[in-house]
Amino acid sequence: MKKKDDEENFDEAVAQAYKAWTNTVVPSEVEALFNDPATKNLTANSDPFFHLVHALQVYTSQPPHTLPLSATLPDMKSDTKSYIHLQRLYKEQAAEDKARFTDILRGLEAGSAGAGGGAVALEMVDDFVKNAHALRLIRGKKWTGLADDVEALTLAREMAPSAVATHLSLSALYAFEGKNGRLPKPGDGPDREEMTAWVKARLTATGWAPEPEPEDSAMTGADEEEEALPKEITLWEHVTNAVGEVSRAPGAELPTTAALMGGMVAQEVIKVITKQYIPINGVCAVDLVSSTTGTVKV
């Protein structure tokens, strides 16, 4: 029973109580890896990662049908004695789960050619088991690939119209430069129209049609009240705004923008090199006119 107001461990227990009656399932991202063609069609030359994923699939197919426990204890309010005791329980169970996973992996390796012709390194097994709850597989594509990927663009324009407009406008700028050997002239109407037409052609290929203009009519009191509400910006308005900004100053380099983008790129590079945390999966469009960002998966 809670005896003092500052006994926060009781509040934490109440907040996390739902986990006690919620079924523990394998995350959908990990399930997707089980069904990945690279996992289903293993060979001696397959990447060790997919051999580990296959072993994890076998592991989760056996009772209790959960992922290996991580030895990392969640942060909580507790006295030292209780925390150390709980930490020991976590470490012991995690060690048992890792040993069972390793046995499954070695058994699979013994019955096949193994990962790359040999056993997966124990260090890699340790890292894999420790991060089994947050596995992600990101297959990169060129950032220009979205413009010509009809299926991806169709989904993206519905999910993130502002980010798509920004991305397509920048893609139109590079396409214009590649075709004409120069950047568009700032404020030049024909150049802006050529870029706009390039974007429109890509959107039209997805089945998109320009949104109809609102009809002018006499406004009632209810209409005036509705007019006072913020108007939802259409995809084409996003496009015309973005193309306008790009064509207005196509070669401009702002120090503040460069600093922000440099920091973001450096952060993503660190993620890839250290293999810690999850990199951005797709195209990240940054619009500093409205101070917003959006990610479009490609």
Side-chain angles (χ1 to χ4, degrees):
M1 297 290 292
K2 188 174 182 180
K3 298 178 180 179
K4 300 178 182 179
D5 291 338
D6 62 350
E7 292 179 326
E8 297 180 24
N9 55 324
F10 282 87
D11 297 329
E12 291 175 344
V14 172
Q16 301 296 325
Y18 72 95
K19 293 183 179 180
W21 59 77
T22 302
N23 291 331
T24 302
V25 298
V26 176
S28 59
E29 294 86 357
V30 179
E31 285 280 5
L33 289 176
F34 294 165
N35 297 317
D36 192 284
T39 303
K40 290 182 173 295
N41 302 294
L42 287 175
T43 68
N45 296 321
S46 295
D47 190 284
F49 174 77
F50 293 105
H51 286 271
L52 290 165
V53 171
H54 178 52
L56 186 63
Q57 183 179 18
V58 175
Y59 179 96
T60 58
S61 68
Q62 302 172 359
H65 307 292
T66 59
L67 296 174
L69 181 68
S70 172
T72 303
L73 188 63
D75 188 26
M76 65 182 70
K77 299 290 182 180
S78 176
D79 61 83
T80 303
K81 182 179 179 181
S82 299
Y83 188 86
I84 293 176
H85 175 67
L86 188 58
Q87 189 176 54
R88 184 173 67 253
L89 293 177
Y90 263 69
K91 288 183 177 179
E92 290 175 354
Q93 185 61 52
E96 290 181 12
D97 289 356
K98 185 176 73 173
R100 187 161 69 90
F101 173 84
T102 304
D103 288 343
I104 291 173
L105 176 64
R106 298 310 182 207
L108 292 172
E109 288 174 340
S112 63
V120 179
L122 186 59
E123 182 181 354
M124 188 174 185
V125 174
D126 290 340
D127 289 340
F128 183 87
V129 172
K130 183 172 63 176
N131 297 287
H133 290 260
L135 295 176
R136 299 291 187 278
L137 177 62
I138 298 177
R139 292 184 169 97
K141 294 181 181 178
K142 289 185 177 181
W143 74 276
T144 53
L146 177 62
D148 296 316
D149 187 335
V150 175
E151 183 177 351
L153 188 58
T154 301
L155 178 62
R157 67 178 173 82
E158 297 291 340
M159 302 297 294
S162 177
V164 167
T166 301
H167 175 66
L168 289 181
S169 298
L170 291 172
S171 298
L173 173 64
Y174 286 100
F176 181 96
E177 183 181 17
K179 176 183 177 182
N180 299 285
R182 62 173 178 84
L183 292 173
K185 298 176 182 178
D188 185 79
D191 287 356
R192 185 174 63 253
E193 290 174 4
E194 181 177 335
M195 291 173 58
T196 302
W198 187 94
V199 175
K200 187 174 184 178
R202 269 69 190 169
L203 291 176
T204 302
T206 68
W208 168 86
E211 296 84 354
E213 294 292 334
E215 298 179 1
D216 294 330
S217 59
M219 296 177 63
T220 64
D223 293 331
E224 292 177 356
E225 183 177 341
E226 183 177 346
E227 185 71 16
L229 297 175
K231 180 185 176 183
E232 183 177 355
I233 301 178
T234 65
L235 172 60
W236 191 242
E237 287 175 318
H238 280 302
V239 168
T240 54
N241 291 339
V243 172
E245 289 294 332
V246 170
S247 63
R248 181 171 62 87
E253 295 183 3
L254 302 178
T256 51
T257 302
L260 174 65
M261 298 305 297
M264 291 182 65
V265 171
Q267 177 178 268
E268 295 305 303
V269 170
I270 291 173
K271 290 178 184 178
V272 173
I273 292 175
T274 63
K275 297 182 180 179
Q276 294 182 352
Y277 306 103
I278 302 173
I280 295 174
N281 186 11
V283 173
C284 179
V286 181
D287 182 357
L288 294 183
V289 175
S290 59
S291 298
T292 59
T293 61
T295 302
V296 181
K297 190 173 182 179
V298 296

